[in-house]
Amino acid sequence: MTLYDRFGLFIGGSWQPAAGGAQVAVIDPATEDRLGHIAKAGPEDLDRTLATLAGAAPAWRAVPGWTRSGLLRAMARGMAERADRAARDMSEETGKPLAEARGEWQAAVDQFDWYADEARRIWGHSLNGREEGVLLDVRYEPVGPVAAFTAWNFPALLPARKVAAALAAGCPIVIKPSEEAPSPMFHIAECAAEAGLPAGVLNVVTGDPAEISAHLIASPVIRKVSLTGSVPVGRLLAGLAGQGLKKVSMELGGHAPVLVFPDVDPEATGALCAKTKFRNAGQVCISPSRFYVHEDIYEPFAAAMARTAREARIGRGLDDGVDFGPMANARGRDRVLDLIEDARGRGAEVLAGGGVPQAHNRGFYVEPTVLGRVPDDACIMTEEPFGPVAPISTFREFDEVIARANGTPFGLASYVFSGSLATANRAAAALETGMVGVNDMLLAAAEIPFGGVKDSGMGREGGQLGILEYLEPKYVKYRYG
Ligand code: NAD
């Protein structure tokens, strides 16, 4: 009996195996053993999904917003009830500590709760015409069937952001979660069925990512494409969507700079930065990932970061007391180890960690690593590390550090630590990112518009703006009287 036996492809409201019976293995990142197998959708399955979406779209867009709201609220309740099971399965698949998995599951519940409200608040506006007897009306309508693709690092929250928004807007959706951590999306689909969501409105497929995305996005049935993933895959899917002139949202990679000005407590700030950096083993798109610390406070800041890194309790996510798990896959571990070696070779100092933990040479573990005095030409200062390594550099001047912080193609998140509101505000205005944390690093929440600029993507998820990604304005001119 594995995690996946009762699941499969979720098409038209029921679980089914792939038509050809093909499967993909899911690996436990803590042991490198197989956790089980999931269905590998082929062209026949995808065509069935597209036909299901086309069939479901007219009825779902006609369902009143208040009714959609009730269904989303029921899904949120059902999800909250199965938090324990879902978080355990997520922890096993991703290696993330159970407490983090529980927190993420709750954040996914929040998305359904938030969009349950938003489904009732889709409003347009009216203008008086230039002549008497004319009214100009602007209203919002669902864009149509959505194809969505999500990464493995937050395997409940990332799909939830898309599914809840699409359903609230009146769009049916097919989602392809990451094959590396599919179970949270399977649980969400089960909650949808239990809540009474009409069959065919939510569909889930897994298999070969390139084949599935090419097949779905090429279909005229799909009117909207939404991805959370890396920049290269974003370029690929945005290109495919561009061929069909489809609406697109892209939540892509980041490389968040952290600016630490000299008027803060360096030890408390260093400890907070380390705790945030090593959450989910650093595999977070908005993870603080380049630390620019004022020269005057570098030593105590770096020492506090290194100390906090060394205190991490490393192990399998489901084990008691563990607060730092393995990375999700071998390619991530190898990338991080290469980046550490490159930085070392260019003169960076290893202040904590630096390799594979001795007690964990099976599984995809990397020690929480802090690198000091990292030069700007080290690859880690410009390439997204997406792992548990914190490079620290120093600065002296405001303009200099802003230029260095803005000197990558990424623009997702940034962080500023300063005791001066004026300095913090000047920095927040100058940083080229979609989100800025001032003396705070917990940015994600259902009520804010999450997203980036530059290569980090386009569109926003959550907040008042999120639902607009799934709606199109329609202008109607009335002449009366
Ligand atoms: P990825 O780009 O490899 O995968 C993302 C999704 O695209 C998955 O569903 C995957 O199966 C699919 N995919 C992968 N290769 C594909 C291909 N050739 N053709 C079509 N689809 C393909 O990303 P990942 O490794 O799963 O996740 C890590 C990346 O995601 C990081 O860059 C991270 O910053 C980013 N991310 C961004 C956000 C955000 O909100 N901006 C959130 C989480 C993760």
Side-chain angles (χ1 to χ4, degrees), residues 149-153 158 161 176-179 209-210 213 227-230 233 236-237 251-254 285 331 384 386 412 450:
F149 307 86
T150 47
W152 45 265
N153 61 328
L158 305 181
R161 282 180 176 150
K176 191 203 77 57
S178 169
E179 287 68 20
S213 55
L227 166 74
T228 300
S230 59
V233 173
L236 195 77
L237 299 201
E251 295 283 350
L252 307 180
C285 54
R331 67 177 191 281
E384 182 184 23
F386 215 60
L412 190 58
F450 193 96

